Amino acid sequence: MPVIKPHDILAGETALRQWAQLARVQANDVASADDLLAISPRLSRRDMAMAVRYSLYMLQLRAPGPGVEVRIAPFAAVKILEGPKSDPHNLTPPDVIELDPDVWLRMACGITSWHQEKEAGHISAVGERDDLSHLLPLPID
């Protein structure tokens, strides 16, 4: 099942751009790099879901494969990067990364880095390929 339906791609792109624009405005008002970790623009639940799904769709295009599962609860999950697939008895791949929506969108949009969010304890990652820093930020502009 695709992370975003083809007819929702434009809505997802629009929602992601809106989130990024609001986040950049908030980023201009922060006093320190640590304050960037609190940036959390509010969108409607539907728009937030569309922004997450579209950004995960973009991630899949950049790094296709079955080896790492990226979960952004409660909105979506995708499998990316080459590597061992999940075994038939356990559908979870050996590498799993779990993030909150705002954490994911901050990194996807270049507001914060993987390292900043990891150091702050905002990333739950298990496995050998638990660093997506080489794939972020995503090209959204």
Side-chain angles (χ1 to χ4, degrees), residues 35-137:
D35 293 338
L36 293 173
L37 298 167
I39 289 177
S40 179
R42 292 292 117 213
L43 298 179
S44 70
R45 182 173 172 82
R46 181 186 187 285
D47 286 344
M48 193 71 161
M50 288 291 107
V52 167
R53 290 178 185 143
Y54 178 76
S55 61
L56 287 174
Y57 166 74
M58 295 296 294
L59 180 66
Q60 276 186 309
L61 292 177
R62 269 192 137 172
V68 176
E69 186 166 284
V70 179
R71 300 174 183 167
I72 314 298
F75 300 121
V78 295
K79 291 183 182 174
I80 62 167
L81 297 172
E82 290 302 324
K85 297 179 185 180
S86 53
D87 70 51
H89 304 291
N90 177 4
L91 297 179
T92 302
D95 297 289
V96 176
I97 298 169
E98 296 183 68
L99 308 159
D100 288 334
D102 284 320
V103 172
W104 168 247
L105 291 175
R106 282 194 299 265
M107 292 186 302
C109 295
I111 303 299
T112 57
S113 69
W114 181 269
H115 178 73
Q116 286 173 293
E117 297 287 357
K118 184 85 169 169
E119 287 290 314
H122 296 166
I123 296 172
S124 172
V126 176
E128 295 175 12
R129 292 161 295 164
D130 66 353
D131 183 343
L132 302 182
S133 60
H134 63 286
L135 298 171
L136 299 169

Side-chain angles (χ1 to χ4, degrees), residues 1-5 60 77-79:
M1 172 188 257
V3 69
I4 192 168
K5 296 175 183 172
Q60 276 186 309
V78 295
K79 291 183 182 174

